[in-house]
Structures are given as structure tokens and as C-alpha cells.
Amino acid sequence: PASATQSATAAAASPPAADAPSPKLACPICLQPFAASAIDANRCLGCDRTFPTSDGVADLCLDANGAAGTYVEPQKSGTRLFQSDVISGVYENGWRQSFAWAGFPGEEEETRFALDYMRSAAKGGVVLDVSCGSGLFSRRFAASGEFAHVVASDFSDNMMKQARAYCQEDPQLAAAMGGSTSVGNTKLSFVRADVGRLPFATGSLDAVHAGAAMHCWPSPAAAVAEISRVLKPGGVFVASTFLDPTAILGDAFGGDAAVQPLSALFRESGVGTGGAFNQFWTERELMDLTTGMCGLVG
């Protein structure tokens, strides 16, 4: 299949602590943890910034609360696309299901894969579902009852609103959002964040999941480096993304180098979900990115 699931582990081998019931949020500017543990009290005294919580979503992006003023950050077309309320509304109603052409087996099977990878490191701990979109996997991770806290996070305001709305439709998840632990022992919270500047304390998360997201990140290297930073020693990063379809031919013709010209033509064509904002990968590229560049192992 053309999809790939990548699992990597933070470099040190010691297991995560079992008593980490909540995420340790940090200022996205200086990365110092907030003095208050409450998710609605996100003030950095050093940077003199307060980051608001609105409708249950903590906004921990640099542009929170209109701070950007007249400055406009350059964005890839895909980043802008997923901020649309139209896309957030259709994401689980046909858009995500269309990934089957690339070998994605569907959300239930993908959830099982992710849980299998995360369970040993993160059971009873804190899981970040980064670039969560409409919360497709965040809901399933919370409903599993295997983690103390699940954080659903995306850069898009509209995706965050949609993710929270879907969770509110489920009585158990709605209770978990309110601080109850009616879904096993799991709590669920929502944080708007930039994957390239994650607002979590260094070494504070037991697992990070990114479902069908890496190919859309403006800087995958910066994002994976951030994920490596926030993971505890022994923590796990699990991701699925799009493989370059020509990589399959490499298995038959002696490796990726043998089909590199064909691969280049495919990537430059903009076919499928490539083009302006997405990226196709080879397995070697994914390994080099996660382990060679960003300090993960496995």
C-alpha cells in the first residue's frame, strides 16, 4: 500500500512515569512551563503574554489573541485550506475516507495500529494527537480509556471547533472534557498549537500521534524535532502518511535509487494529494527524518 505508519521512540530507554495525569503546558515563545497547571490560566510572566481559552480550546499559538496585528505569516496552500470551515465540516464525511486509494485501511484499523504502538509507553499517561483535524483519532484514543489524558491539537481554529463539537455529541466524551473521568480514567482537552512550536514542557508527553498529517506540515524537520523534544525518555511517536507509490517498484528493481527518476516525475506532477502543499515520502526518507535528524530511535 502507499500509506506508511512510522513509529519511533525518544532516545533514552527509561519508561515514562505512571503519575502524569495532565499535560504540562508551556509558553510557545520561551517554552517555559506555565506556573499554573489549569488549562485556562496560561500566562507567561517572562514573556508578558496571556494565551486565551475560548469555548474550551486553549489557544497557544504565537498569533493568539490577535497578537500578530498586521503581520501575516506566509503559509502553504494546504495550511490555509484546512482552516476552512467547509473542509472541517466534510473531513469525516468523505475527505478522509478518500485516502483509501493510498492504502489507508480506515480509521478503526488505523486506531488499532496506533494503540498497539502507544500502549506500552503511554498507558495511563498523556497522549498528544497533533494535527488532529476534526478529532477523528482523539475521540477514539479517549474512548479507549487507556490513557490518563488525551490532548487534541491542531493549528486550524475551525478544525478545533469541529473536534470539540463532535466530542460534545458523545455523553462520555463530553464528561471527560468537563474534567470527569467517566471514560475509564481519561480526560480530554483541546489546544490550538503549531506543530513547529509545540506549547508543552520538554520531556512531558508519553506519546504523540499524527494521523495522515506529516505530508502537510510546512517544515516536517522542525515539527519532528519538536515532537522529539516534548516526548519523555521512552515516549513514542506514531504517524501515518503518504508513501511515494514508485517506492514499491524499488523493491523489485534494487532499491529507491533505481526508480528515482520516475519518483521525481511523479512528485513534480502534482498527481493525487501531492502538488502545492503535500509531500510523498520513501521509507528511507522517513527513517532519516525521524532518527537521523531528530534524535528518535527505532
Side-chain angles (χ1 to χ4, degrees), residues 130-131 153 155 193-199 210 217-219 222-224 226-227:
V130 74
S131 299
S153 177
F155 183 73
D194 183 344
V195 68
R197 192 69 173 174
L198 290 173
W217 291 345
S219 173
V224 177
E226 272 292 272
I227 289 166

Side-chain angles (χ1 to χ4, degrees), residues 32 170 221 245 281:
Q32 292 299 306
D170 183 306
W281 310 82

Side-chain angles (χ1 to χ4, degrees), residues 222-297:
V224 177
E226 272 292 272
I227 289 166
S228 181
R229 178 186 66 80
V230 301
L231 279 172
K232 290 181 179 180
V236 173
F237 171 45
V238 180
S240 60
T241 189
F242 287 85
L243 281 185
D244 182 338
T246 65
I248 300 172
L249 298 176
D251 296 337
F253 292 100
D256 291 338
V259 295
Q260 196 281 328
L262 181 60
S263 174
L265 286 173
F266 175 79
R267 295 186 188 207
E268 292 168 6
S269 72
V271 171
T273 58
F277 62 91
N278 281 337
Q279 180 170 350
F280 289 90
W281 310 82
T282 66
E283 291 186 66
R284 182 70 260 170
E285 285 175 323
L286 289 172
M287 289 298 296
D288 289 344
L289 169 64
T290 55
T291 62
M293 292 179 66
C294 296
L296 299 173
V297 297

Side-chain angles (χ1 to χ4, degrees), residues 62-234:
L62 295 176
D63 62 359
N65 226 13
T70 59
Y71 174 74
V72 179
E73 182 79 359
Q75 294 179 350
K76 290 187 175 182
S77 59
T79 304
R80 295 192 299 271
L81 178 69
F82 285 104
Q83 294 181 62
S84 162
D85 58 351
V86 174
I87 300 301
S88 65
V90 303
Y91 187 75
E92 292 189 30
N93 298 292
W95 184 290
R96 185 55 166 78
Q97 290 77 9
S98 71
F99 292 2
W101 74 266
F104 284 82
E107 52 263 34
E108 297 303 332
E109 188 70 3
E110 292 173 56
T111 299
R112 186 183 68 79
F113 286 152
L115 288 174
D116 285 347
Y117 281 117
M118 294 192 297
R119 190 173 286 116
S120 62
K123 190 173 180 66
V126 179
V127 171
L128 169 64
D129 187 21
V130 74
S131 299
C132 71
S134 56
L136 185 69
F137 295 105
S138 308
R139 300 196 302 275
R140 288 166 170 80
F141 296 155
S144 75
E146 298 206 32
F147 312 110
H149 203 121
V150 173
V151 181
S153 177
D154 202 278
F155 183 73
S156 166
D157 280 315
N158 281 312
M159 283 294 190
M160 289 269 67
K161 291 174 184 176
Q162 186 65 72
R164 197 167 187 277
Y166 280 144
C167 289
Q168 286 177 315
E169 294 173 2
D170 183 306
Q172 287 190 315
L173 292 178
M177 290 160 55
S180 169
T181 55
S182 63
V183 184
N185 291 313
T186 302
K187 294 183 181 178
L188 178 61
S189 57
F190 302 83
V191 176
R192 179 177 176 253
D194 183 344
V195 68
R197 192 69 173 174
L198 290 173
F200 299 91
T202 298
S204 64
L205 300 176
D206 297 291
V208 176
H209 172 265
M214 291 178 67
H215 49 279
C216 289
W217 291 345
S219 173
V224 177
E226 272 292 272
I227 289 166
S228 181
R229 178 186 66 80
V230 301
L231 279 172
K232 290 181 179 180

